[in-house]
Amino acid sequence: MSDQTSPICSAKGCRTPAVWVLAWNNPKLHAPERRKTWLACEEHREHLSQFLGVRGFLKDVVTLAAWESAESPRDPRSAGPAGDPS
């Protein structure tokens, strides 16, 4: 992928290519099996994980490469911006 089409970090204002996928759901809004995604660069992985974790939303953290190679159909490029856990 070229830099122009590479997924970028979901942290507000960050334009760094994503390395991690943070899979999450809000149990008050989503079915237990539903997974929404945020993308993270190395610098923001811990911060975004903590943000989701303290709310009880974080379900999994995997590398973008592993997420993309998984058999289930998922599109991490549809990740929402940080601060919008709906």
Side-chain angles (χ1 to χ4, degrees):
M1 274 187 212
S2 71
D3 289 340
Q4 294 176 336
T5 60
S6 296
I8 61 166
C9 181
S10 297
K12 187 175 182 177
C14 185
R15 305 299 297 164
T16 304
V19 179
W20 298 95
V21 175
L22 287 64
W24 63 277
N25 81 2
N26 180 338
K28 292 182 181 179
L29 302 175
H30 308 126
E33 65 279 357
R34 179 156 182 211
R35 292 296 180 265
K36 296 189 65 136
T37 57
W38 279 357
L39 302 177
C41 63
E42 284 293 341
E43 180 181 351
H44 292 111
R45 181 183 64 92
E46 187 62 30
H47 171 75
L48 294 174
S49 294
Q50 286 179 356
F51 180 91
L52 293 168
V54 298
R55 290 159 178 79
F57 295 174
L58 187 62
K59 302 301 178 194
D60 201 8
V61 178
V62 297
T63 65
L64 179 59
W67 186 267
E68 289 178 332
S69 69
E71 290 182 2
S72 60
R74 299 174 180 162
D75 186 1
R77 287 167 281 259
S78 66
D84 181 22
S86 59

